[in-house]
Amino acid sequence: MFKQTVPLAILAGLCISIGCIVNLRVGGVAGAVLFAFGLTTVVYYKLKLYTGTAGFIRAKGDWSMLVTVLLGNIVGCLLTALVACYAQPDIIEPASKILEGRLAKGPLACGLLAVGCGFIMTTAVQFAREGKMLPLLLGVPVFILCGFTHSIADAFYFLACPTEQVLSTSVLIVYVSEVLGNFVGCNLYRWVAPKPKE
């Protein structure tokens, strides 16, 4: 399982990073819409993305797999950030502004915003699994334009920033709050409206 999960998780981080790059370079509504390429690629190739997995894990299992997916996603973002920042250093400044904005909001606000993103992502992936892609294409620009926080996208944004800006306890706390917020949002529907027992 570990050997199968890690490459798929790293590739998922790379795909989301591509969406981040176009969003950083284009911005606005267009950047938010084009970001959707990342998630549609993840779904099409059945890659392992934290926010596409957290809402579907079994109640009493899969925790080690979920952690593996998260770490693999971060590695994919790190590798992509290293290449992208070298080849296209113009993305560093807008990425830094995103990080500054997250720190200004603080962990509680970022965590709450992550709940909204998690809810949208699980909903979009559920529709995609049923062959309905429109919610997937709409869900990504919706969460971006709402200002919701996506832990894997932010992994790329943060890792694209100068090292001295990222290596702080404040950044780690904000990031952990986003990971937890995404998890809550991904599971919100099944916690609030569980399926009736047959």
Side-chain angles (χ1 to χ4, degrees), residues 21 27 29 34-35 193 196:
I21 293 169
V29 175
L34 293 172
F35 189 112

Side-chain angles (χ1 to χ4, degrees), residues 45-84:
Y45 286 117
K46 297 180 180 179
L47 305 178
K48 293 291 186 180
L49 181 66
Y50 175 73
T51 50
T53 306
F56 300 97
I57 66 167
R58 295 168 297 172
K60 296 182 180 179
D62 298 333
W63 294 105
S64 60
M65 183 271 289
L66 186 62
V67 172
T68 301
V69 168
L70 176 61
L71 294 176
N73 290 166
I74 293 172
V75 169
C77 290
L78 173 61
L79 294 174
T80 312
L82 291 172
V83 173

Side-chain angles (χ1 to χ4, degrees), residues 79-101:
L79 294 174
T80 312
L82 291 172
V83 173
C85 289
Y86 173 77
Q88 295 190 134
D90 60 307
I91 69 170
I92 297 174
E93 184 178 349
S96 295
K97 288 181 179 178
I98 289 176
L99 176 54
E100 290 169 3

Side-chain angles (χ1 to χ4, degrees), residues 10 28 31 40 51 54 56 70 85 112 137 143 149 152 161 182 195:
I10 292 173
T40 53
T51 50
F56 300 97
L70 176 61
C85 289
L112 292 172
L137 296 173
F143 93 71
T149 53
I152 308 307
C161 296
N182 279 167
K195 291 182 180 179

